[in-house]
Amino acid sequence: MNRKTLVLPTVAGLLAPVLVACGGSGGAGKDGGAIVIGSTDRFELSKDTPAPFDPAEVYDIAGLTVLRSTFQTLLRLPRSGTTPVPDAAEKCGFADRKNEQFRCTMREGLKFSNGHDLTAKDVKFSIDRVRNINFKNGPASLFDNVDRVETPSDSEVVFHLKTPDATFAQKISTPAGGIVDSEVYDPKKVREGYDIVGSGPYTLKAEEADGRVAKVVFSKNPNYKGGLKLQNNKAEMRFFESSTSMEKALKAGDIDVMNRSMSPEQITRLRASTSKDINIVESPGQEISFLAFNTNDPSVKNKAVRQAMAQVIDRQALTRDDYGRTTTPLYSLVPSGITSHQNSFSNKYGTTPSVDKARSILQAANITTPVPITLTYTTDHYGEATAKEFKGLQDQLNGSKLFDVKIQGVEWSKFRPASINGEYSVYGMGWFPDFPDPDNFIAPFFGEGNFLKSPYRNKKITDKLIPETREERRRDEAATLFQQAQDIVADDVPILPLWPVSYTHL
């Protein structure tokens, strides 16, 4: 196997977070062949996921990776930095001081991959469509604050917002703002299957096997006119049942890059490898892992139970024993590296678990121990270490003698719909932000349209803190308000953050 170092400035930004690829597939990138990326993500059609590649439905990292490569948005986030830059738009910006009217002027000559012209009416159609379909587990909540969209001409789009929102440029930069062809897509329902008609830099062809996508091939879209300079004509993603089979494919030279998700044991072993054929690249991620609570469930409805769990769980032991120090403890919804982060959970509960303090919390609330609780996790979405992680959580909680915890693993295709329907009392989830702003680690979790469909409500967060932060164009000036929100979360514990997710690529 010949070692290859492939510089992929375009594919890296679109099929993020791949940075540098190494491997031995026959030909790659500049040599004319497809760059081949391995992943354990999966796509399959079901009643709950009829359209895995439709911007009105997709709201998970696997699907978003595909959408960023195939659909164009008015603005896009650059590979580095947090300020969106033009893509389908020539320019965008607020037309008033209150952050309530956002205007964009389109590039000339835009076309979809099928040759149809792309105009401002398609932008309006696309945003209105996401809002009207309002898919149950979709991204419509990102546009909850849109009052109406106007198109004064074929090249002008005006968004009128209900209330000020300094983050709106970032929101229309997400795949939820992906522009679809109004002549092809239905305004009232998602486009079922795997076919895509977009104006992004690549077209897509999906190949199925055993009822799910086995690989997708991205080919350069000759009609693309946007802000990206393409340096690769083709890229391919292949999907594996496990990180073990993906590693075998890498070593056999069948793929160039091994991406999501790798086990801690693999990362540790490959870190120590002296092989010149494999190059490991690690970068900090903004994805977070957490426990979510159904605050209407009798077992955890009393916040004293949730507080006691926060007092007992030892994140440091979990990251050491179950994740082999491949990650670090997280003590807030907003991870370090994001403006306004503060360790609200460690400030309230400390970093050293205390059974005595947890017992006092439960006794003060007149709760009989041990408290019966079931923890649910997905077996096939966040990597093979998840089962070990939840066994560790079970051991810690039961070891306190304050809880009687059972655990259960469920496939993602069943897990996600069930969690949305409130069938689990406590369950493990991850969150990959739509854009790198503290707003996107707070707002999506609360209010009527929250992505967890959680029944938890806090009017101070939704009616005061979030609206006030959105009035600040200089995001650092909203820090105090975001920190208040983090403190409220630490006190009520509707969500228990565990650790940030770092990215490793080979």
Side-chain angles (χ1 to χ4, degrees):
M1 180 170 62
N2 296 320
R3 183 174 186 271
K4 298 176 183 174
T5 300
L6 308 176
V7 181
L8 312 176
T10 298
V11 171
L14 298 166
L15 306 182
V18 177
L19 301 178
V20 177
C22 304
S25 63
K30 63 183 180 181
D31 299 327
I35 299 153
V36 185
I37 301 165
S39 173
T40 57
D41 289 325
R42 63 172 60 190
F43 299 101
E44 54 189 320
L45 302 179
S46 71
K47 182 181 74 171
D48 296 297
T49 57
F53 299 148
D54 189 322
E57 174 182 323
V58 177
Y59 208 27
D60 65 87
I61 186 172
L64 296 178
T65 297
V66 171
L67 265 58
R68 286 190 174 98
S69 305
T70 51
F71 286 98
Q72 212 171 3
T73 49
L74 290 168
L75 302 173
R76 64 177 176 83
L77 286 172
R79 290 182 59 207
S80 59
T82 60
T83 302
V85 297
D87 194 13
E90 186 177 275
K91 61 180 180 179
C92 289
F94 281 104
D96 65 332
R97 294 182 178 181
K98 293 185 177 181
N99 302 338
E100 289 181 322
Q101 189 183 105
F102 194 82
R103 289 178 172 265
C104 292
T105 301
M106 310 286 292
R107 292 180 189 269
E108 293 183 0
L110 293 172
K111 290 184 179 294
F112 289 103
S113 56
N114 61 4
H116 292 176
D117 290 337
L118 188 163
T119 68
K121 76 171 186 178
D122 294 295
V123 177
K124 172 179 168 55
F125 172 86
S126 301
I127 301 299
D128 288 345
R129 177 175 179 269
V130 171
R131 297 167 62 210
N132 291 334
I133 291 175
N134 194 21
F135 194 79
K136 190 170 186 179
N137 189 31
S141 60
L142 287 169
F143 301 134
D144 277 350
N145 195 34
V146 174
D147 182 35
R148 67 187 187 280
V149 185
E150 293 180 339
T151 54
S153 71
D154 282 348
S155 61
E156 295 177 282
V157 186
V158 183
F159 299 90
H160 296 274
L161 308 182
K162 299 173 185 176
T163 58
D165 187 358
T167 70
F168 189 71
Q170 284 90 339
K171 289 175 179 173
I172 61 168
S173 302
T174 70
I179 306 168
V180 302
D181 188 345
S182 58
E183 297 181 47
V184 173
Y185 283 75
D186 192 305
K188 296 182 179 180
K189 63 181 182 180
V190 294
R191 182 179 172 86
E192 297 183 4
Y194 302 115
D195 289 338
I196 286 177
V197 178
S199 60
Y202 294 97
T203 60
L204 176 142
K205 180 180 180 181
E207 296 184 15
E208 292 183 75
D210 300 322
R212 65 184 59 162
V213 174
K215 73 175 182 179
V216 293
V217 178
F218 298 92
S219 299
K220 184 177 179 179
N221 178 9
N223 291 328
Y224 173 69
K225 291 185 179 180
L228 289 166
K229 181 180 179 181
L230 302 187
Q231 298 189 25
N232 305 93
N233 291 326
K234 185 174 287 189
E236 183 179 309
M237 292 188 75
R238 297 180 188 173
F239 303 99
F240 296 86
E241 287 292 327
S242 67
S243 59
T244 301
S245 58
M246 183 167 58
E247 182 181 353
K248 288 180 180 178
L250 179 79
K251 291 180 176 178
D254 295 330
I255 61 176
D256 298 303
V257 182
M258 180 173 165
N259 193 28
R260 299 171 43 98
S261 296
M262 284 178 268
S263 71
E265 292 81 8
Q266 281 180 309
I267 296 171
T268 299
R269 181 176 66 254
L270 291 164
R271 277 175 177 169
S273 173
T274 58
S275 172
K276 294 182 180 180
D277 293 325
I278 296 176
N279 181 33
I280 185 168
V281 178
E282 297 182 74
S283 59
Q286 294 174 345
E287 186 176 1
I288 63 172
S289 175
F290 58 91
L291 291 179
F293 294 88
N294 175 359
T295 54
N296 278 348
D297 189 278
S299 65
V300 294
K301 187 171 185 176
N302 193 315
K303 79 173 182 179
V305 175
R306 308 193 298 268
Q307 290 176 330
M309 291 178 68
Q311 191 69 72
V312 167
I313 289 174
D314 187 345
R315 296 171 180 79
Q316 293 182 345
L318 289 170
T319 56
R320 180 190 66 232
D321 301 336
D322 300 329
Y323 280 86
R325 294 188 173 88
T326 58
T327 187
T328 56
L330 178 65
Y331 296 100
S332 176
L333 269 182
V334 180
S336 60
I338 299 292
T339 304
S340 306
H341 162 81
Q342 73 173 4
N343 292 320
S344 295
F345 274 81
S346 60
N347 291 342
K348 183 172 180 62
Y349 304 102
T351 57
T352 302
S354 173
V355 174
D356 290 339
K357 290 180 180 179
R359 183 181 296 109
S360 296
I361 292 171
L362 294 171
Q363 287 176 344
N366 297 316
I367 293 173
T368 303
T369 59
V371 182
I373 290 176
T374 298
L375 303 183
T376 306
Y377 65 93
T378 176
T379 57
D380 56 352
H381 192 70
Y382 296 119
E384 296 169 44
T386 309
K388 185 177 180 181
E389 165 199 342
F390 271 73
K391 182 62 170 64
L393 286 167
Q394 180 188 37
D395 290 345
Q396 288 185 9
L397 292 166
N398 286 349
S400 72
K401 308 299 184 184
L402 301 176
F403 300 93
D404 179 14
V405 173
K406 295 179 174 60
I407 57 175
Q408 63 176 352
V410 181
E411 290 185 359
W412 179 254
S413 59
K414 298 177 181 178
F415 173 91
R416 189 64 181 119
S419 66
I420 291 172
N421 291 331
E423 296 178 24
Y424 306 139
S425 57
V426 189
Y427 55 99
M429 282 289 292
W431 172 250
F432 188 87
D434 301 290
F435 50 90
D437 186 278
D439 179 277
N440 203 234
F441 289 93
I442 300 293
F445 292 87
F446 307 106
E448 294 294 333
N450 73 84
F451 91 103
L452 293 172
K453 300 298 182 284
S454 168
Y456 172 80
R457 299 289 182 269
N458 185 285
K459 291 185 70 65
K460 184 174 181 180
I461 292 178
T462 56
D463 297 353
K464 182 180 187 299
L465 298 179
I466 291 175
E468 288 182 9
T469 63
R470 289 176 176 172
E471 294 178 6
E472 299 289 350
R473 292 195 189 185
R474 294 184 57 180
R475 305 306 288 151
D476 55 340
E477 294 184 359
T480 300
L481 299 171
F482 281 122
Q483 288 164 358
Q484 289 181 44
Q486 291 170 80
D487 286 342
I488 291 171
V489 173
D491 185 62
D492 286 351
V493 201
I495 292 156
L496 182 58
L498 296 173
W499 46 78
V501 180
S502 60
Y503 290 111
T504 307
H505 324 288
L506 298 169

